[in-house]
Amino acid sequence: MGRTIVLSAAVCAIAIASTPAHAASDYVQCDGQAKGMDFAEGLARFTVILGSLGLFGSSEQDNVAERRFGTEGADACTRAVDDGRGKANDLRRSRLLLARAIHQIEAKNLDAALADARSFPAAGGEKAGDAGFQRSFALSALELEAAVLLRQGKGAEAEAAALKMAAASPFDLANLVRVTFYLDKSLPLSAAKRAYFANVIRLMPELRLTWADALRWQGDYGAAADEGAALMAMLEAKEAQPQLVAQQAVDLHMAGRGAEGDALAAKARADNDVRAASETTDAAKAAITRTDDLLAFAKVIAAMKAGQMADARRMFAARERWLSVPVPMVADVAAKLRVGATSAELTGALARDPVTLRAEALAGERTRRTNDDALKALYRIIRPYLSPGSYASLAKPVNETAKSKFMPVKQDTLPGETVRVIGGGGVAAGEALLLHSALIAKSRGKTAFAIVPFRTNLATARVLFENPGASKLPASAYFAADAVVTALGPRFVPPPSK
């Protein structure tokens, strides 16, 4: 008996040693994921494994390291799409096509990449009309379309595709944040772009800073200042960093609201002096320096508005660059100060052409969005399929408001209450947070709720349950509870009571 066992072990060892390593399949070479099996394939594979004591028939594993790139990767995707499983499984085929579009971008075959991206949602076959498909793979295709158009130099079309992506899934925060990557600051603020920002700043209030920057690029400094004020109203006094106050002061000066700007500049300067006397970290010192730069720029604007052009030019030109000040502000002030300036005054920062300043900033942004690092990040665009099960697992607790499982007992005096979704993740968790907040608001007799800065993840937020006007929060911060329940309630239908 012992000799039989030893012999069997030896045979197994020889078999293992002589079994050649299999090359990665076309599926793995395409997107790093294995082919996947249906039930019949799985049963047949299990029989082989059992009969060979596990030596043969084991399934291929996912292996991103074996993923190919460029034309080689695109060819692997094509072969996988033409394979039986690639043809038969709508979801697997869709993922392969999305990966092929990325490989075509790598190979600089942009027209082919655009064709793959635009083959959606029809490429999903029977899944094309499925809500989960629309809010996952179809969104990925829209984003890949935007990525291709960006690389083709078609900024307006890229932005339009990204805004379609935003409108297709307006409660998916991760999706909405990705949209900012494709927005072109040089373009006018369309109705779709305004609607996008009006929505996303409710989900993530700190994005008001991004919205304010977009307004500055269009010269609307008054609206940018108002967005700064709205964010400040949502922050605790200790969170109102002097740099934010100083930026708001500069916006107000640019908008011709000098008295308001002076008051905020004085506050920022006093707060910054306190921080300068106590802060020791490099990050804190850098923030203090940026605040000082903004306050110095406010003095330039004030002198210019007062007609003291020589003094304004001297202060502006005293620096080579105003790196802490938004580019459109620097360019706009430079353009005004250069009018009537002598050649002797055109030194330092004032020697730089304002049109070139804007163009270089925009070109730098486009480069960052299309460089090698951006190329490597394209695979993150492929979202996981949003299955009904991800909502079903949260349906019962999200609808329970009497004894909420998502709201720990409040143990602090800060505004709002923490809502933390447990038992789920991703898009479904983020939407569950919104629906639960709406239901809690209604259960308390409120018509609205608001999320306060700063969010740390999709499944967690600090929420104020109150009607607009009950506090200093701007009206634009609130979600209407009924509207959220109408939009998201059907996705979280609780199981019938037993």
Side-chain angles (χ1 to χ4, degrees):
M1 178 66 178
R3 293 181 62 189
T4 303
I5 294 174
V6 171
L7 182 60
S8 298
V11 171
C12 290
I14 292 169
I16 292 171
S18 61
T19 301
H22 293 289
S25 69
D26 291 328
Y27 293 86
V28 170
Q29 291 184 39
C30 173
D31 65 359
Q33 292 194 2
K35 174 182 179 180
M37 293 178 290
D38 57 27
F39 178 77
E41 288 177 301
L43 182 60
R45 183 70 61 88
F46 176 73
T47 302
V48 173
I49 293 172
L50 192 64
S52 64
L53 298 178
L55 294 177
F56 305 103
S58 57
S59 60
E60 184 179 39
Q61 302 299 307
D62 296 347
N63 188 354
V64 176
E66 289 291 342
R67 188 172 61 202
R68 303 298 189 260
F69 298 92
T71 301
E72 186 180 2
D75 290 345
C77 293
T78 298
R79 292 191 297 271
V81 167
D82 292 340
D83 183 60
R85 185 139 181 90
K87 286 182 178 179
N89 187 299
D90 292 332
L91 296 179
R92 191 69 186 95
R93 181 180 64 254
S94 296
R95 184 178 168 84
L96 293 168
L97 289 172
L98 291 170
R100 187 170 71 179
I102 294 173
H103 290 308
Q104 299 289 17
I105 295 174
E106 293 168 344
K108 295 183 170 53
N109 298 325
L110 298 182
D111 288 341
L114 194 60
D116 273 339
R118 287 179 171 171
S119 70
F120 286 78
E126 293 182 1
K127 289 286 187 181
D130 175 73
F133 183 90
Q134 290 285 342
R135 298 201 305 277
S136 56
F137 286 164
L139 286 182
S140 300
L142 275 173
E143 186 170 356
L144 280 172
E145 180 179 344
V148 174
L149 292 167
L150 198 62
R151 286 162 173 78
Q152 291 179 327
K154 300 175 181 177
E157 292 180 52
E159 178 175 286
L163 291 172
K164 283 175 62 178
M165 186 171 87
S169 192
F171 297 104
D172 177 356
L173 178 57
N175 176 57
L176 297 177
V177 170
R178 296 188 69 86
V179 169
T180 62
F181 192 78
Y182 303 97
L183 299 182
D184 190 329
K185 294 175 181 178
S186 69
L187 297 174
L189 296 175
S190 64
K193 192 188 290 191
R194 288 181 178 276
Y196 160 73
F197 274 111
N199 181 43
V200 76
I201 61 177
R202 296 182 303 169
L203 283 156
M204 195 170 184
E206 48 269 39
L207 285 178
R208 285 181 184 271
L209 297 175
T210 304
W211 174 221
D213 194 49
L215 290 164
R216 290 186 197 104
W217 276 91
Q218 301 305 313
D220 196 347
Y221 296 108
D226 292 340
E227 288 303 320
L231 182 60
M232 300 294 286
M234 303 178 78
L235 295 172
E236 285 291 286
K238 63 182 179 182
E239 295 176 315
Q241 299 287 337
Q243 184 179 337
L244 295 178
V245 180
Q247 179 62 71
Q248 189 185 354
V250 177
D251 284 326
L252 288 167
H253 274 291
M254 290 292 291
R257 293 156 62 180
E260 296 173 72
D262 285 340
L264 284 180
K267 180 182 186 311
R269 187 171 291 107
D271 290 346
N272 211 39
D273 287 344
V274 171
R275 287 177 178 265
S278 60
E279 298 286 0
T280 58
T281 66
D282 290 342
K285 290 177 180 178
I288 290 165
T289 300
R290 287 193 294 271
T291 303
D292 284 339
D293 289 348
L294 287 165
L295 293 171
F297 197 79
K299 289 182 178 180
V300 174
I301 303 167
M304 182 179 70
K305 298 278 186 181
Q308 300 165 0
M309 299 300 285
D311 286 342
R313 291 185 187 114
R314 175 180 51 78
M315 289 188 286
F316 188 93
R319 303 186 183 211
E320 284 296 320
R321 293 175 179 81
W322 290 89
L323 296 178
S324 300
V325 182
V327 170
M329 283 184 161
V330 177
D332 284 352
V333 170
K336 290 180 173 66
L337 292 178
R338 285 167 65 92
V339 175
T342 66
S343 58
E345 289 176 310
L346 295 178
T347 61
L350 201 55
R352 301 179 185 278
D353 174 42
V355 174
T356 302
L357 274 176
R358 282 176 169 265
E360 287 177 348
L362 293 170
E365 200 158 276
R366 281 192 288 271
T367 297
R368 287 191 296 275
R369 294 175 178 183
T370 57
N371 61 16
D372 287 344
D373 288 338
L375 187 64
K376 292 173 185 175
L378 286 178
Y379 289 95
R380 300 175 193 166
I381 288 176
I382 304 180
R383 296 150 171 82
Y385 173 63
L386 196 54
S387 69
S390 59
Y391 288 91
S393 63
L394 293 168
K396 187 174 185 290
V398 82
N399 283 281
E400 293 177 340
T401 57
K403 293 182 179 180
S404 173
K405 292 182 173 63
F406 297 160
M407 295 181 65
V409 176
K410 183 176 171 68
Q411 296 180 333
D412 57 46
T413 58
L414 296 174
E417 300 166 59
T418 298
V419 179
R420 181 180 297 112
V421 174
I422 56 176
V427 177
E431 293 180 350
L433 184 149
L434 294 173
L435 177 57
H436 194 66
S437 297
L439 293 171
I440 290 290
K442 288 170 65 68
S443 73
R444 297 181 182 181
K446 309 297 183 183
T447 63
F449 66 94
I451 293 172
V452 299
F454 290 90
R455 289 189 70 169
T456 56
N457 59 61
L458 296 178
T460 306
R462 198 164 184 92
V463 181
L464 284 170
F465 301 98
E466 62 181 32
N467 295 336
S471 69
K472 59 183 180 180
L473 265 64
S476 58
Y478 293 92
F479 285 94
D482 282 339
V484 172
V485 171
T486 299
L488 297 180
R491 299 179 190 177
F492 296 91
V493 178
S497 302
K498 293 183 180 180

